[in-house]
Amino acid sequence: MAVRKIIIDTDPGQDDAVAILLALASPEDIDLLGITAVAGNVPLELTAKNARIVCELAGRPDVKVFAGCDAPLTRKLVTAEHVHGKTGLDGPQLDDPKMQLQDQHGVDFIIDTLRREPAGTVTLCPIGPLTNIATAFQRAPDIIPRIQEIVLMGGAYFEVGNITPTAEFNIFVDPEAAKIVFGAGVPLTVMPLDVTHKALTTKPRIDAFRSMNSKVGDMVAAWTDFFERFDMEKYGSEGAPLHDPCTIAYLIEPQLFQGRQINVEIETESELTLGMTVADWWRVTDRPKNAMFMKDIDASGFYALLAARLARL
Ligand code: RIB
Ligand code: CA
């Protein structure tokens, strides 16, 4: 399979960190052109710092990290320290990064990259709120037809909400941005809670990270140990859903996932259901089928891939 050129747009977040590590551990599948940080789990200053911490953990201070938007398009930022901790990467003790942020704004990096690379050769992997992506579309609509695919983590249908009764966090933080992205007509693959809630960090899986006897393995085990307490208390599950790495795993082994090409619309009006991904799973409307909406995962295969690749770092 050809190496996929990607930009990861992210709000690290422990699960974002694992997604970035998986991408950096897979050079035969992924050419990571850059990382753009966005405000989400924690404010932008921290997400931009955390992205660099993860690159240095992977031994890759050469990766270009850009700061993007520090607030949603029109709304006040909602963060998730209750899940990810005050730093966004709570769990292990972490040193400040030495590598510098790029001077260019993350949105301009997205625009310039899509204009420079041959049309149809760059995939965007947003794993936080969609503010940077939507802003790029607003500033430079010419880039939209040049995108190969958007593979994002966000939304929910059967699993309904994790930040409100009806909305998943990434969509809820910036529903106007999500509406722009889901309506842009770009080939869209969505990893909603419906699939990520089937990829739980059970104890044997966390132990597999710890048994790597590597700094990366220890960090990932410590991050998942910390991160899972919220979901285990809330859902009574035997681990936490490792949301964001599902996007990168899909690029490497798409056969791990099954879903349907359906219509997905974003609620931006109702205060009660703001940020809901209204997924026409049963195809009861004739609205355009704008998204490959994933529902099932080979969780053992997913964790086997993660363990094999992270052991390389
Ligand atoms: O709802 C899960 C998503 O919100 C993940 O991307 C997690 O990192 C948080 O950003
Ligand atoms: Ca995230």
Side-chain angles (χ1 to χ4, degrees), residues 15 44 102 243 313:
D15 60 320
L44 177 67
Q102 298 297 308
H243 307 285
L313 296 175

Side-chain angles (χ1 to χ4, degrees), residues 31-308:
D31 175 5
L32 181 56
L33 301 179
I35 296 175
T36 50
V38 67
N41 285 321
V42 286
L44 177 67
E45 186 189 347
L46 284 174
T47 60
K49 172 182 171 186
N50 293 343
R52 287 177 285 151
I53 287 174
V54 176
C55 289
E56 289 184 344
L57 172 64
R60 293 294 308 279
D62 59 296
V63 175
K64 289 185 172 56
V65 177
F66 302 80
C69 298
D70 63 1
L73 293 182
T74 61
R75 295 176 185 273
K76 194 171 165 306
L77 178 64
V78 171
T79 53
E81 286 87 349
H82 61 292
V83 179
H84 300 276
K86 205 164 53 60
T87 71
L89 286 182
D90 280 27
Q93 191 55 42
L94 298 166
D95 297 330
D96 286 350
K98 294 182 181 60
M99 64 187 280
Q100 296 302 306
L101 263 183
Q102 298 297 308
D103 294 336
Q104 189 178 33
H105 190 284
V107 170
D108 294 329
F109 170 71
I110 292 169
I111 294 169
D112 290 354
T113 303
L114 282 162
R115 284 177 171 162
R116 181 190 67 243
E117 297 293 329
T121 65
V122 175
T123 294
L124 302 181
C125 293
I127 51 179
L130 292 164
T131 315
N132 286 343
I133 310 299
T135 304
F137 289 7
Q138 289 178 321
R139 278 194 206 160
D142 60 288
I143 66 172
I144 294 173
R146 299 182 64 81
I147 300 167
Q148 178 177 15
E149 183 178 13
I150 292 177
V151 182
L152 69 84
M153 191 279 142
Y157 181 60
F158 295 97
E159 281 298 295
V160 286
N162 62 357
I163 188 77
T164 73
T166 57
E168 176 279 326
F169 179 79
N170 288 341
I171 308 299
F172 177 74
V173 169
D174 200 339
E176 284 74 19
K179 189 178 182 75
I180 290 169
V181 173
F182 276 71
V186 176
L188 183 59
T189 299
V190 180
M191 294 289 166
L193 299 181
D194 307 78
V195 75
T196 68
H197 277 195
K198 295 171 183 168
L200 297 180
T201 57
T202 59
K203 190 172 175 327
R205 290 166 177 167
I206 294 179
D207 290 347
F209 294 135
R210 200 167 273 119
S211 64
M212 288 175 188
N213 293 320
S214 68
K215 187 141 189 269
V216 166
D218 291 347
M219 284 289 177
V220 170
W223 279 329
T224 44
D225 262 344
F226 177 87
F227 168 71
E228 73 174 7
R229 83 215 182 291
F230 171 78
D231 287 88
M232 289 172 82
E233 277 160 31
K234 176 173 175 180
Y235 296 105
S237 52
E238 55 165 330
L242 211 45
H243 307 285
D244 294 337
C246 288
T247 58
I248 306 303
Y250 168 78
L251 293 174
I252 299 169
E253 291 188 14
Q255 70 281 7
L256 290 173
F257 300 89
Q258 286 80 39
R260 274 186 193 176
Q261 190 70 29
I262 59 170
N263 173 263
V264 180
E265 303 292 342
I266 311 296
E267 176 59 71
T268 57
E269 304 302 326
S270 155
E271 282 309 303
L272 189 61
T273 57
L274 184 70
M276 182 175 187
T277 44
V278 182
D280 186 8
W281 183 262
W282 303 112
R283 297 171 175 150
V284 295
T285 76
D286 56 3
R287 293 195 286 248
K289 296 180 175 63
N290 58 332
M292 171 50 76
F293 199 79
M294 294 300 184
K295 183 169 182 288
D296 289 303
I297 181 174
D298 167 359
S300 306
F302 171 66
Y303 276 92
L305 173 67
L306 266 180

